[in-house]
Amino acid sequence: MPLLIVVAALVLLLILTIVFKLNAFVSLIVVAVVLGLAEGMAAKAVLVSVQNGLGSILGSVVMIIGFGAMLGALLIESGALQRITYQLIKTFGIKHIQWAVLLTGFVVGLPMYYMAGFVLLLPLVFSIAASTRLPLLYVGLPLVAALSVTHGYLPPHPGPTAIAALFKADFSLTLLYGLAIAVPAVIIAGPIFSRTLKRYNPAPPTTIAMPKHFTEEEMPGFEVSLFTVLTPIMLMTLGAVATLTLPADSKVRQAIEFISDPNLALLISVLVAMVLLGLNRGKSMKEVMDLFSGSIAGIATILLIVGGGGALKQVLVDSGVSVYITNLFSDMHLSPLFMAWAIAAILRICLGSSTVASLTAGGMMLPVLATTSVKPELMVLAVGAGSLTCSHVNDSGFWIFKEYFNLTIPQTLATWTVMETLVSLIGLAGVLLMNAFL
């Protein structure tokens, strides 16, 4: 009976978001309340559970997501991302243009939200395709694959960050393991897969607005731009290396782990960017602060959705449903990693939103994690990979890709949907392989 109530609650979530087009945050809170009452919780206990869940998850991730938004805004407005993109293309040349675009997407995607990176870089893809007379998908798919993988697998993106906090995973190790899996995923789903799509050769739409174009003098140097982009990644990777190689009581390790904590790493990165890309480039402190304020306003909806997912998770735990699910899946003798991937994949297919799918799956898998010896970092990646599966017509990313690449719905299913599924399956294979050796 408890599992049937959970299934009914997920169906209600589908109806609210798909049929009634209700905001995801409102839908998650409504479903959390209904689920708690249906499972026999007292009305006041349900409200306390919702508040605790929302507060605990936001307390863990709000700094990371907020600082990430500030860093991304400054990278765009300073011209640093344009500098990195142009330099990589110049270095790789036309013959290896796919690898230049892929690396651009990966570097840009590390600190920046998927949609912002997509809109920023797609006009550049159009320009490259037009000047080289290469097929648009041949040039563009490696970029999109890289942006998608960083969005689904890696902190500081909202989904992986929230799940890492939920599972109490080490952020630095999650990033390190995620990078190891992300590299083959983007290569196979990007350059290799795109070479099988020669039958599709769409023309760029004529209605797409171009982002601001910076002159050579307006852009910062390549070294400064790249250093600023990679600062949080370098700090968190340094923390992962210290955790793996130094004894726990080492003062050096403790110092490195302090500055590599994702909250502090991103704060340091924002301060570095503020100086190198803002104040040193002639911007006033007020201009930089106004830019930061605008970036925070843009992530309000994301933070609310993350909070709603945390509320639903807490109700699953406090109502006792999570223990029931744990016992049920334990009897099936399935790999917890495969289970996490499958639940996230099913929710992604049904709900469309990868962030909502990963947060809901995380709440269901939390008690399962406590009963296994699986590393929580790998569980984060399994959920993240599952949340990218089989994007189709109920996902806004599907329609944006379709319109920007000027494709029909069947063509979008054959390109975007297959690419997302490849990324997801490679992620699953990667975590299962890692689990066998770690």
Side-chain angles (χ1 to χ4, degrees):
M1 191 63 185
L3 190 58
L4 290 176
I5 294 174
V6 172
V7 171
L10 294 177
V11 171
L12 175 61
L13 185 60
L14 281 172
I15 293 171
L16 292 176
T17 56
I18 296 174
V19 178
F20 292 101
K21 309 296 184 185
L22 199 62
N23 175 274
F25 170 68
V26 177
S27 300
L28 284 165
I29 297 299
V30 169
V31 169
V33 171
V34 171
L35 176 63
L37 294 174
E39 293 289 355
M41 294 178 67
K44 187 173 181 180
V46 172
L47 294 177
V48 171
S49 185
V50 166
Q51 291 168 357
N52 288 342
L54 193 150
S56 64
I57 194 68
L58 285 181
S60 302
V61 304
V62 68
M63 287 174 63
I64 299 171
I65 297 174
F67 288 143
M70 293 178 189
L71 179 60
L74 199 46
L75 289 168
I76 292 174
E77 291 299 320
S78 66
L81 292 183
Q82 183 177 314
R83 169 66 77 186
I84 292 170
T85 303
Y86 283 9
Q87 185 63 46
L88 288 175
I89 291 170
K90 180 180 177 181
T91 301
F92 278 82
I94 299 302
K95 184 178 180 181
H96 304 292
I97 196 67
Q98 281 192 311
W99 301 102
V101 173
L102 184 147
L103 191 55
T104 297
F106 208 80
V107 171
V108 171
L110 286 171
M112 186 171 293
Y113 300 124
Y114 172 84
M115 203 57 67
F118 184 94
V119 173
L120 176 74
L121 295 176
L122 251 293
L124 176 71
V125 168
F126 298 155
S127 176
I128 294 170
S131 62
T132 60
R133 297 187 178 180
L134 290 169
L136 187 57
L137 287 170
Y138 178 87
V139 178
L141 209 62
L143 170 76
V144 178
L147 291 173
S148 181
V149 166
T150 54
H151 172 76
Y153 289 8
L154 306 176
H157 288 270
T161 299
I163 299 304
L166 184 65
F167 290 166
K168 294 181 170 55
D170 184 289
F171 280 86
S172 297
L173 286 178
T174 302
L175 178 65
L176 193 64
Y177 296 158
L179 287 170
I181 297 172
V183 171
V186 296
I187 291 174
I188 294 171
I192 294 176
F193 175 58
S194 66
R195 293 174 188 177
T196 69
L197 303 175
K198 295 179 180 177
R199 61 189 179 279
Y200 304 122
N201 190 19
T206 58
T207 56
I208 300 299
M210 297 291 285
K212 179 181 177 181
H213 180 81
F214 294 89
T215 65
E216 184 70 22
E217 294 73 23
E218 290 175 326
M219 292 186 289
F222 175 70
E223 293 79 8
V224 170
S225 301
L226 189 62
F227 174 77
T228 308
V229 168
L230 296 181
T231 295
I233 309 305
M234 290 188 295
L235 288 173
M236 285 190 272
T237 302
L238 183 63
V241 173
T243 300
L244 293 171
T245 58
L246 297 176
D249 58 353
S250 167
K251 297 295 183 183
V252 174
R253 171 175 166 175
Q254 292 170 9
I256 292 174
E257 287 181 339
F258 175 70
I259 63 170
S260 67
D261 177 271
N263 295 286
L264 197 58
L266 278 159
L267 172 58
I268 293 170
S269 303
V270 167
L271 295 175
V272 168
M274 186 177 71
V275 174
L276 296 182
L277 303 181
L279 302 179
N280 283 2
R281 300 289 301 172
K283 289 184 181 293
S284 67
M285 183 62 78
K286 183 179 184 307
E287 288 176 319
V288 175
M289 292 304 105
D290 287 345
L291 188 61
F292 285 171
S293 298
S295 69
I296 294 300
I299 63 164
T301 300
I302 293 174
L303 288 173
L304 286 174
I305 292 172
V306 169
L312 180 57
K313 175 272 302 182
Q314 197 62 43
V315 169
L316 286 167
V317 172
D318 293 345
S319 67
V321 175
S322 57
V323 176
Y324 178 84
I325 293 171
T326 302
N327 295 333
L328 182 67
F329 280 117
S330 296
D331 295 338
M332 294 182 181
H333 305 292
L334 292 174
S335 162
L337 292 172
F338 176 78
M339 211 189 309
W341 178 88
I343 292 173
I346 292 169
L347 290 168
R348 158 71 157 182
I349 292 168
C350 294
L351 298 173
S353 168
S354 63
T355 302
V356 174
S358 61
L359 288 168
T360 307
M364 296 176 71
M365 290 303 301
L366 182 60
V368 177
L369 178 64
T371 66
T372 73
S373 59
V374 172
K375 288 182 176 293
E377 296 80 15
L378 295 182
M379 192 72 90
V380 173
L381 296 172
V383 171
S387 73
L388 295 176
T389 300
C390 198
S391 167
H392 59 95
V393 294
N394 64 351
D395 177 22
S396 60
F398 175 94
W399 294 102
I400 290 171
F401 182 90
K402 173 189 177 299
E403 294 304 318
Y404 268 80
F405 281 90
N406 208 14
L407 298 167
T408 64
I409 289 179
Q411 289 172 340
T412 310
L413 290 168
T415 54
W416 162 262
T417 303
V418 173
M419 183 272 292
E420 288 282 86
T421 305
L422 279 173
V423 163
S424 177
L425 292 174
I426 295 164
L428 172 63
V431 294
L432 292 175
L433 188 63
M434 275 192 170
N435 187 56
F437 291 98
L438 292 176

